[in-house]
Amino acid sequence: MHRLLALLAALAAMAAVAGCGQRGGGGSPPPAGASTLVLRLSELPGMLPPGGVAAVPPRYSLFGDGRLISAPDGPSRGWPQLREDTVAPDGVRELYGAATALPDGPAADIPDGPVIQVTVGRADGRHSVTLDRADPAAARLLAALARHADGPPVPYEPTAVAIVATPADPAEPARPWPLPALAGEPLGATSAGSTCLVLRGSDLDTARRAAGTADAAARWSSAGQVWQVAPRPLLPDETGCPDL
């Protein structure tokens, strides 16, 4: 009887530990699939650029096939250059465990302060948390992702790019936009006032060539208006403007 009671107690303790891990997300395996998001980490400055969050490529995006797509540290000039690395399955599990272990609470209230936003893919949907840039757990996750993106650079070649356009001063000098129209779908939230236009195929190549000869502060004229544009490559889990 004593042995049976001891065995039952040990099993109960093991079940409790497993249950805690599942509630925190650390006991669940990362999602699989080439276009399935495992985790995304975005570094957002205190003062967002024209176009808001939609104009800021995520710092790191990890997918179920191990692809890690990262953006350069700091603002891009002209056409953004993203890179692609491959993370081994053990590394994907470790990064996913670290992301799901982040504190799950309300968004950090840091007026005009830089933050880190982490989105995790789970069976019941995506979960996001926003943390202070100095948060130790967020800093450790950021450093761990950086270690997986330190090999020879391989360019990420998107099949589509969203052009986030924001009205500018009509008196400013502007180049003619090389495509028929620039204004696109209206954006909301932090990107309110800007529009989004997705380019593919030959239109994408035309815009890339034009933006490659200009810096990020260049102005463009289209349909009688002057615009500041921010090219935002779409990632494997994104299909259009509503995903930004």
Side-chain angles (χ1 to χ4, degrees):
M1 178 61 72
H2 290 296
R3 290 181 179 177
L4 179 59
L5 291 175
L7 177 59
L8 290 174
L11 290 173
M14 292 171 62
V17 171
C20 291
Q22 290 173 354
R23 285 193 295 273
S28 304
S35 61
T36 303
L37 183 70
V38 173
L39 72 91
R40 173 165 289 143
L41 186 149
S42 298
E43 292 184 282
L44 302 177
M47 297 295 291
L48 289 169
V53 170
V56 182
R59 186 77 170 89
Y60 295 102
S61 296
L62 177 63
F63 296 90
D65 61 351
R67 278 187 300 170
L68 178 64
I69 298 172
S70 56
D73 187 14
S76 62
R77 296 183 178 181
W79 199 262
Q81 302 295 323
L82 275 58
R83 62 175 286 159
E84 183 175 329
D85 294 272
T86 301
V87 181
D90 286 348
V92 173
R93 286 190 291 270
E94 290 174 4
L95 291 168
Y96 184 69
T100 56
L102 291 173
D104 187 12
D109 184 14
I110 311 165
D112 297 330
V115 297
I116 287 181
Q117 185 178 71
V118 179
T119 300
V120 178
R122 295 180 180 172
D124 59 344
R126 294 185 178 183
H127 293 252
S128 297
V129 60
T130 303
L131 302 169
D132 189 313
R133 179 66 176 79
D135 183 273
R140 286 194 296 271
L141 178 60
L142 181 61
L145 287 162
R147 286 194 294 271
H148 288 282
D150 61 354
V154 176
Y156 169 65
E157 300 292 347
T159 58
V161 169
I163 302 297
V164 179
T166 304
D169 185 345
E172 292 187 78
R175 303 182 179 195
W177 181 247
L179 296 170
L182 183 56
E185 181 179 338
L187 296 171
T190 64
S191 304
S194 300
T195 65
C196 170
L197 175 69
V198 174
L199 301 179
R200 295 180 172 86
S202 60
D203 285 347
L204 173 56
D205 294 336
T206 299
R208 182 189 288 113
R209 286 194 296 270
T213 63
D215 59 29
R219 301 295 188 262
W220 302 89
S221 62
S222 175
Q225 289 185 271
V226 174
W227 306 84
Q228 182 172 356
V229 305
R232 163 65 160 81
L234 294 186
L235 299 169
D237 63 317
E238 299 171 333
T239 58
C241 297
D243 297 319
L244 300 183

